[in-house]
Amino acid sequence: MRASPFSFAGPKRHNDPGIAFEKLPKIDVVLVSHGHYDHLDVATLSKLTSAFGPRVVTPLGNDITMRASDTAIKAEAFDWYQRVELGNGVAATLVPTRHWSARGLFDRNKALWASFVLETPAGKLYIVCDSGYGDGRHFRRVADAHGPLRLAILPIGAYEPRWFMQDQHMNPEDAVK
């Protein structure tokens, strides 16, 4: 119920998941962008592993966190710019994004963070995980290297106070840019 290592502190969930776990279709692959508690929920990954046994594709270092909690999680770690064949004509390339990583007080930026470009038979999708906008150059580099992109999925949220969050999360105006 909280994005935190503690059940009594940290950001609290406001809504139930959009789909009940029992109603999920078979999950073959899970993309994990970085190690923050709201993105790398080991309990959920363990439950998915027990139910479906999916591959888990993640940036370097996050696999260590997963395996330390559950050795059954099939975590595969990749560096930025690496392309991963996922099957059925789909591949994912991990691309840098404007963010950071940490799960504790002493592990800041000890693991990578990433967004993903998915190549599918229907075209390329740019799944931007947590990211600030900055000067926008990292977005232009992805478009130049992987375009044309059929769809970009952009995160908007947790962007206030702006002075603090501008390099980590986009607001609506950033997403429009």
Side-chain angles (χ1 to χ4, degrees):
M1 292 306 293
R2 294 188 182 271
S4 168
F6 309 107
S7 62
F8 57 87
K12 191 172 183 183
R13 175 185 287 283
H14 292 282
N15 299 303
D16 290 334
I19 300 173
F21 191 89
E22 301 72 33
K23 300 213 181 220
L24 287 173
K26 182 171 181 340
I27 306 293
D28 297 314
V29 177
V30 176
L31 304 176
V32 175
S33 62
H34 62 291
H36 290 157
Y37 284 89
D38 59 329
H39 291 261
L40 197 171
D41 180 2
V42 177
T44 299
L45 286 173
S46 292
K47 196 171 176 182
L48 287 168
T49 296
S50 293
F52 307 110
R55 289 176 70 183
V56 179
V57 174
T58 190
L60 293 171
N62 297 292
D63 57 319
I64 296 165
T65 300
M66 294 175 208
R67 285 197 206 101
S69 295
D70 184 345
T71 57
I73 296 172
K74 298 176 188 173
E76 303 172 29
F78 298 92
D79 204 348
W80 288 331
Y81 307 109
Q82 281 192 283
R83 185 175 182 274
V84 184
E85 291 287 341
L86 302 177
N88 296 323
V90 177
T93 300
L94 286 78
V95 294
T97 196
R98 191 176 182 93
H99 204 57
W100 57 285
S101 68
R103 282 181 78 81
L105 296 175
F106 306 107
D107 66 345
R108 188 174 180 95
N109 296 335
K110 301 287 185 191
L112 283 183
W113 54 96
S115 289
F116 300 92
V117 174
L118 287 184
E119 299 170 46
T120 77
K124 293 182 182 178
L125 313 175
Y126 184 20
I127 302 172
V128 179
C129 302
D130 278 359
S131 181
Y133 184 78
D135 61 11
R137 279 189 271 183
H138 61 292
F139 292 119
R140 285 189 288 283
R141 280 194 290 273
V142 169
D144 290 345
H146 299 278
L149 301 167
R150 178 124 192 224
L151 174 70
I153 300 172
L154 306 173
I156 301 169
Y159 53 81
E160 297 292 345
R162 203 71 200 123
W163 64 268
F164 177 69
M165 299 303 277
Q166 67 185 348
D167 289 329
Q168 304 170 61
H169 295 144
M170 289 187 287
N171 64 14
E173 292 80 16
D174 291 338
V176 169
K177 286 190 259 182

